Amino acid sequence: MTGRARARSRGRARGQETSAPGAAREPAPPAPPPTEGELVGRGRQKGAPGPFSAEAVLQISAGFQQVKLGERGGRRRDFHDAGINTRQAMEHVKDSKTGTSGSPIPLSANFFRILSRPQWVLYQYHVDYNPPMESRRLRSALLFHHDEVLGSARSFDGALLFLPHRLHSKETVLHSETRNGEKVQITVTLTNELPPTSPVCLQFYNIIFKRILRILDMQQIGRNYYNPNDPLNIPQHRLTIWPGYTTTILQYESSIMLSTDVSHKVLRSETVLEFMANLRQQCGSHRFTDICAKELIGLIVLTKYNNKTYRIDDIAWDHTPNNTFKRGDQDISFKDYYKAQYGLNITDGNQVLLISHVKRMGPAGGPPPGPAMLVPELCYLTGLTDKMRNDFVIMKDLSMHTRLTPEQREARLNRFVTNIQKNADAQAELDKWGLNFDKKLLELTGRVLPGERIFQGSRSFDYNPSSADWSKEMRGLPLISAPPLNSWLLFHTRRNSNEAQSLLQNLHKVSGPLGIRIQRAVMIEYEDHQESLLRALQHNVGPQIEMVVVVLPSNRKDKYDCVKKYLCVDCPTPSQCVVSRTLSRPQTLMTVATKIALQIACKMGGELWSVEIPLKHLMIVGIDCYHDITAGKRSIGALVASLNQGMSRWYSKCVLQHKGQEIMDGLKMALSALKDYLKFNNCLPSRIIVYRDGVGDGQLHSVVNYEVSQIMDSIKSMGHDYMPKLSVVVVKKRLTSRFFAKIRGQVANPPPGTVVDSEVTRPEWYDYFIVSQAVRSGSVSPTHYNVVYDTSGLKPDHMQRLTYKLCHMYYNWQGIIRVPAPCQYAHKLAFLVGQSIHREPNVHLDDLLFYL
């Protein structure tokens, strides 16, 4: 599964449950698009609750009270997990956290140093509008009428105003008038004086830089800025790509730097209204409401009038743009609101409205804010449907524009900084604040760790380090161990009986050299529908069956889910599904059969290969989570723990939890893995290293403050005198950091095993980057490891080496993967449960990798 697909599967479940439109709520009207400050969720800031007047409470309920950015600012810094200093508690890395082994390699990274910055005190003001103004552009225009009071050097992002000088009084009241003659009172209140060393100054630099991006005519969507004036059109698929950039200014190891990467926004060239009209034509009126809800709910749309993205959570079939809502103390129709606020004419007065439950904070003790109501005519579809993702031609055409080689990416980044320096307005704005950026990418030195030797059975071999793959080298060598397969079933439809026969023949051919003894399978035919397949499983799978292989006629999810549900919960038996199309090409059948034979061996408790792990009595744990949108927005936490020295046997446990529950609450129980380890080794581990994946932006504090103590509690439950050494490492894959190497004069991806632990790491953390995988196209993404708790005393070098070794141990891929194997196993388990089973797997499967 791709990182992007995984991100989608995680992100989809993050909507907020609110009562349905029309449900009793005081005050009741659904809100139009929320104000700038209120938009939160993916890529948006959250507001903190604070004291508000009764009148403000009413405005919030209508969705119009802008959340104070002064309060919001603290939340925003959470996005980068700033303020969490974990390194100071670890004596052994206080002075140095860099490793030593491996050969040095010169690299460049997508960071630009800040060469100079203001050395004066900054004054931070909070700006309030009465009546509230939704449009940020309008808020800025009204405020900037008062040049004579504010001066020309100012930075304003909608609610926070930074000035290099102090206004005469602490509270300044200004009066402006909109084009429509509406009188507006603006209150500017001093909230903070910031010395140059203040961390809020970093927030200010980010605001200034966003101003620079707007000067370059870029538009903000979510967290990033995109250029609508340079679109890449793919007319044959009705898609448009806006090129853009992610930008962050932060304090890194040795200096404050701008980190920037190339980003792309895929937009569809049709509005939701056009999509609904086409859908009605295809499926007719009687089934339209059901199909429309199924297609639209969960999609992300873009409203071009304010360049905001929203998730469609529901459809208000009984609302049209002629409905009214309360704005302040007046009723206004959606049609009139969009005309007055954005100058937009809505042509179809009968269209239904879309509901988006925007996650935002109301005032303490007040009613929750209403949902945002969106007009389909003004909403553009974004992203790709599953159908599009499965279309090879669309994905190939898209990747030509979005998958940049290291050379193209570096050139695009250099062009970006050159454009800023050539733009007179942008340069004037930077000079006004005394900010100056380096013209070239940061250069630093990384290290390439030596390749690992792979042990398989009685043999061992090296692999080609540049390809990070050993599928050729392991061919014909027996595995470490593989249980014999004596009693197993092969299910197929009548149409696929030839593919099933050829799979069987090839499995017998490839299993001998691998050391897997396979007896002949019992072939069972089923009718091509779900009920027939389930009946066939119920009638034939008994306790003596060791493995079930099912040839599926297509990759339809319902049949796959039916097999997995029955064989993972009701009748615990390892199972392997194969789509018949995979078996239809004779030239690839031997390779496919080899992979299936290896998977079958794993799922029955076999061990394929290992690498040398010098630490004795070590237990490695991987934790990941998945948000299940079908089972009432539940979270699934998965824990996978090693049971032996070679890291080739694993214990797996999955827990289902309700929305909002901490993931470790359930996984505390899963540390019964320690009991399994005891059974396996007759002793408990003396050292436990936990790799925690699935930690989103801003969640680091809950891992540090809550999860670490939960893990320690569950270790204590094994006995008060049991005190193993413990390390907790947070693994992050969704990064904007990129590294480039110069190989034979060409800009290229760094080779697998590249470690970066200086310059671009954070001074308050014990962290490092590893590029472990090789990619055939595009730019490689490093993985970030942040050791948040460590009593093991392992040297940074050993921690880095161990992490890299574990990236070799994922049995579903004969090569190095992007994260340590237990993280990927935990992801696979959580994904299987969240996508297909929706229940906890049977305990009889706990010691098997049944989810591969």
Side-chain angles (χ1 to χ4, degrees):
M1 183 183 188
T2 63
R4 198 166 288 168
R6 188 176 177 194
R8 277 203 321 282
S9 63
R10 280 191 180 148
R12 260 204 290 255
R14 290 187 181 160
Q16 185 160 342
E17 294 187 57
T18 328
S19 57
R25 170 186 289 176
E26 282 299 316
T35 63
E36 201 71 37
E38 287 169 9
L39 281 172
V40 296
R42 291 185 64 183
R44 311 185 189 102
Q45 287 86 25
K46 292 183 181 178
F52 291 97
S53 65
E55 178 196 5
V57 168
L58 195 68
Q59 288 161 346
I60 285 182
S61 66
F64 276 117
Q65 170 63 30
Q66 81 181 26
V67 173
K68 291 192 175 177
L69 217 147
E71 296 156 350
R72 195 176 77 184
R75 297 286 183 118
R76 173 188 303 178
R77 290 197 306 278
D78 282 356
F79 161 47
H80 303 295
D81 296 304
I84 298 167
N85 191 336
T86 46
R87 184 177 172 185
Q88 63 187 14
M90 297 180 244
E91 284 296 330
H92 62 297
V93 287
K94 256 188 186 166
D95 299 330
S96 167
K97 60 177 183 183
T98 54
T100 51
S101 59
S103 47
I105 180 172
L107 300 169
S108 55
N110 59 339
F111 292 79
F112 295 90
R113 275 203 175 93
I114 291 189
L115 299 178
S116 66
R117 60 197 185 99
Q119 294 302 317
W120 60 78
V121 171
L122 271 177
Y123 297 91
Q124 178 184 326
Y125 291 86
H126 177 69
V127 185
D128 265 323
Y129 291 80
N130 188 16
M133 296 286 123
E134 292 79 41
S135 162
R136 183 164 73 180
R137 191 173 289 173
L138 183 58
R139 290 200 298 259
S140 300
L142 292 170
L143 181 66
F144 294 167
H145 281 164
H146 302 279
D147 271 359
E148 72 289 350
V149 178
L150 304 175
S152 63
R154 71 234 161 164
S155 166
F156 181 61
D157 75 346
L160 264 196
L161 173 69
F162 288 103
L163 297 175
H165 57 86
R166 188 179 176 143
L167 299 178
H168 293 301
S169 54
K170 190 172 179 191
E171 186 170 289
T172 308
V173 178
L174 307 168
H175 297 275
S176 291
E177 196 173 298
T178 66
R179 279 185 189 164
N180 305 339
E182 187 180 11
K183 291 194 164 33
V184 182
Q185 179 180 307
I186 305 170
T187 310
V188 181
T189 313
L190 179 68
T191 54
N192 219 340
E193 293 186 17
L194 307 167
T197 52
S198 163
V200 180
C201 286
L202 289 175
Q203 181 187 348
F204 160 68
Y205 301 150
N206 280 292
I207 293 171
I208 291 289
F209 200 79
K210 289 191 165 109
R211 166 115 185 85
I212 301 297
L213 295 171
R214 286 198 291 278
I215 289 172
L216 295 177
D217 286 337
M218 298 183 83
Q219 294 188 7
Q220 184 174 9
I221 301 178
R223 284 180 188 152
N224 305 331
Y225 278 76
Y226 297 90
N227 187 355
N229 305 319
D230 185 21
L232 303 159
N233 289 310
I234 310 178
Q236 67 271 33
H237 306 307
R238 298 187 73 186
L239 294 174
T240 302
I241 301 168
W242 284 7
Y245 297 92
T246 67
T247 61
T248 310
I249 297 172
L250 273 180
Q251 172 72 54
Y252 292 96
E253 205 68 50
S254 52
S255 60
I256 294 174
M257 293 191 279
L258 162 72
S259 163
T260 178
D261 194 22
V262 178
S263 174
H264 295 94
K265 192 81 191 164
V266 177
L267 304 175
R268 314 240 286 273
S269 322
E270 59 180 338
T271 63
V272 175
L273 187 62
E274 290 165 346
F275 178 82
M276 289 168 89
N278 291 339
L279 201 61
R280 190 185 284 274
Q281 274 183 343
Q282 287 167 24
C283 66
S285 297
H286 64 292
R287 291 171 55 230
F288 172 68
T289 51
D290 289 346
I291 291 174
C292 184
K294 205 170 179 183
E295 289 284 333
L296 285 180
I297 290 174
L299 292 186
I300 305 292
V301 294
L302 172 79
T303 47
K304 286 193 179 172
Y305 51 80
N306 61 354
N307 274 328
K308 295 290 174 204
T309 52
Y310 300 86
R311 181 183 187 273
I312 301 175
D313 290 306
D314 208 344
I315 300 170
W317 297 104
D318 53 348
H319 280 60
T320 71
N322 298 318
N323 278 63
T324 60
F325 62 91
K326 241 187 176 44
R327 183 186 181 199
D329 50 4
Q330 291 181 340
D331 284 344
I332 184 171
S333 74
F334 288 96
K335 203 167 184 174
D336 295 343
Y337 166 77
Y338 282 103
K339 177 71 179 159
Q341 190 72 29
Y342 298 104
L344 294 169
N345 289 309
I346 293 172
T347 53
D348 184 346
N350 295 321
Q351 61 190 303
V352 298
L353 298 185
L354 309 171
I355 298 172
S356 179
H357 295 312
V358 182
K359 275 199 276 184
R360 55 181 184 241
M361 300 277 193
M373 305 293 275
L374 307 170
V375 180
E377 188 179 320
L378 306 177
C379 296
Y380 285 81
L381 293 163
T382 69
L384 303 171
T385 61
D386 288 339
K387 194 176 170 190
M388 287 172 158
R389 283 178 199 288
N390 294 330
D391 187 320
F392 175 75
V393 178
I394 293 180
M395 296 312 285
K396 188 172 178 227
D397 292 346
L398 261 181
S399 69
M400 282 168 65
H401 297 289
T402 58
R403 193 171 286 168
L404 305 178
T405 63
E407 200 162 6
Q408 290 169 323
R409 190 175 291 270
E410 194 179 77
R412 187 87 69 89
L413 294 171
N414 283 324
R415 194 163 75 228
F416 173 54
V417 168
T418 308
N419 287 347
I420 292 173
Q421 288 176 337
K422 281 186 179 168
N423 186 302
D425 293 345
Q427 214 45 52
E429 182 71 19
L430 287 170
D431 293 345
K432 205 189 290 178
W433 293 100
L435 277 174
N436 185 14
F437 292 93
D438 203 342
K439 294 180 177 58
K440 60 183 198 314
L441 291 171
L442 174 76
E443 292 183 350
L444 69 161
T445 303
R447 290 175 292 112
V448 182
L449 296 176
E452 293 293 329
R453 195 158 181 78
I454 306 293
F455 294 90
Q456 192 175 316
S458 55
R459 315 272 186 86
S460 64
F461 53 84
D462 293 313
Y463 56 88
N464 177 357
S466 61
S467 66
D469 176 292
W470 50 86
S471 49
K472 284 195 179 77
E473 286 81 355
M474 72 176 286
R475 223 176 260 162
L477 294 181
L479 307 175
I480 295 175
S481 76
L485 184 52
N486 298 319
S487 175
W488 64 295
L489 308 176
L490 178 56
F491 290 82
H492 62 90
T493 59
R494 179 169 298 171
R495 209 175 70 218
N496 300 137
S497 63
N498 289 343
E499 284 94 338
Q501 285 291 354
S502 47
L503 171 63
L504 200 55
Q505 287 163 10
N506 281 283
L507 277 176
H508 283 290
K509 268 187 214 163
V510 300
S511 59
L514 291 169
I516 309 170
R517 291 213 333 271
I518 298 184
Q519 300 299 324
R520 190 151 183 81
V522 176
M523 308 277 282
I524 295 163
E525 195 177 292
Y526 67 94
E527 296 292 323
D528 187 5
H529 55 88
Q530 189 184 323
E531 296 77 19
S532 166
L533 175 53
L534 183 57
R535 258 198 321 275
L537 290 169
Q538 287 167 339
H539 289 162
N540 295 286
V541 182
Q544 75 290 353
I545 299 297
E546 296 163 341
M547 170 62 64
V548 173
V549 178
V550 182
V551 178
L552 297 170
S554 69
N555 56 3
R556 269 186 51 180
K557 190 171 176 298
D558 55 350
K559 288 202 185 78
Y560 178 82
D561 291 358
C562 150
V563 172
K564 292 297 177 186
K565 251 182 210 154
Y566 183 68
L567 295 176
C568 292
V569 180
D570 304 327
C571 180
T573 313
S575 58
Q576 175 69 42
C577 293
V578 196
V579 178
S580 61
R581 198 180 63 215
T582 314
L583 305 172
S584 59
R585 299 214 304 275
Q587 63 273 32
T588 60
L589 199 51
M590 282 286 274
T591 311
V592 169
T594 304
K595 295 211 165 183
I596 290 172
L598 292 174
Q599 267 188 305
I600 287 174
C602 282
K603 288 179 179 183
M604 291 172 60
E607 300 167 47
L608 308 192
W609 64 77
S610 68
V611 294
E612 188 193 357
I613 309 269
L615 297 170
K616 300 285 179 275
H617 304 303
L618 166 68
M619 178 164 147
I620 300 284
V621 178
I623 297 175
D624 200 356
C625 58
Y626 173 84
H627 302 295
D628 181 3
I629 48 172
T630 55
K633 294 198 168 77
R634 287 193 296 188
S635 289
I636 287 119
L639 177 146
V640 175
S642 65
L643 293 174
N644 64 347
Q645 172 67 28
M647 306 290 155
S648 55
R649 293 299 305 271
W650 300 88
Y651 168 88
S652 317
K653 198 77 187 159
C654 208
V655 289
L656 279 75
Q657 302 190 150
H658 291 290
K659 187 170 169 279
Q661 211 181 335
E662 292 283 356
I663 213 77
M664 273 316 294
D665 287 355
L667 287 180
K668 252 197 327 196
M669 310 308 296
L671 274 168
S672 52
L674 286 166
K675 292 174 189 155
D676 247 50
Y677 187 98
L678 180 62
K679 247 190 288 179
F680 231 78
N681 302 282
N682 297 323
C683 66
L684 285 166
S686 58
R687 194 188 293 268
I688 299 173
I689 299 178
V690 178
Y691 287 94
R692 169 71 160 95
D693 203 346
V695 178
D697 296 325
Q699 292 178 347
L700 188 63
H701 65 93
S702 90
V703 175
V704 173
N705 300 332
Y706 184 78
E707 291 190 12
V708 171
S709 59
Q710 294 287 86
I711 293 168
M712 289 162 78
D713 285 351
S714 49
I715 290 170
K716 275 183 199 146
S717 68
M718 297 299 293
H720 286 292
D721 52 345
Y722 175 52
M723 290 179 69
K725 293 172 177 172
L726 176 68
S727 310
V728 179
V729 186
V730 171
V731 181
K732 202 164 179 189
K733 300 181 298 303
R734 292 178 67 191
L735 305 176
T736 53
S737 309
R738 305 277 183 165
F739 301 114
F740 311 106
K742 269 263 170 49
I743 297 173
R744 292 186 286 279
Q746 297 281 307
V747 179
N749 283 317
T754 301
V755 175
V756 175
D757 54 10
S758 61
E759 297 277 359
V760 294
T761 50
R762 301 270 283 270
E764 72 273 26
W765 295 347
Y766 168 16
D767 61 334
Y768 53 92
F769 295 89
I770 300 184
V771 174
S772 49
Q773 78 282 27
V775 294
R776 292 204 181 99
S777 62
S779 308
V780 73
S781 287
T783 304
H784 182 248
Y785 298 92
N786 183 3
V787 185
V788 295
Y789 183 85
D790 188 16
T791 57
S792 72
L794 273 184
K795 289 180 186 166
D797 198 61
H798 293 166
M799 189 62 99
Q800 293 167 7
R801 296 275 314 258
L802 177 65
T803 302
Y804 184 50
K805 282 173 185 287
L806 290 168
C807 295
H808 293 67
M809 290 303 300
Y810 180 60
Y811 284 162
N812 220 3
W813 179 254
Q814 294 134 291
I816 313 176
I817 62 164
R818 195 176 164 187
V819 291
C823 292
Q824 190 64 11
Y825 287 139
H827 163 65
K828 287 285 279 191
L829 174 57
F831 189 74
L832 173 71
V833 173
Q835 282 274 303
S836 303
I837 304 177
H838 310 297
R839 279 183 288 171
E840 287 185 28
N842 195 298
V843 291
H844 292 296
L845 297 172
D846 282 355
D847 289 347
L848 304 174
L849 295 173
F850 64 93
Y851 41 82
L852 279 193

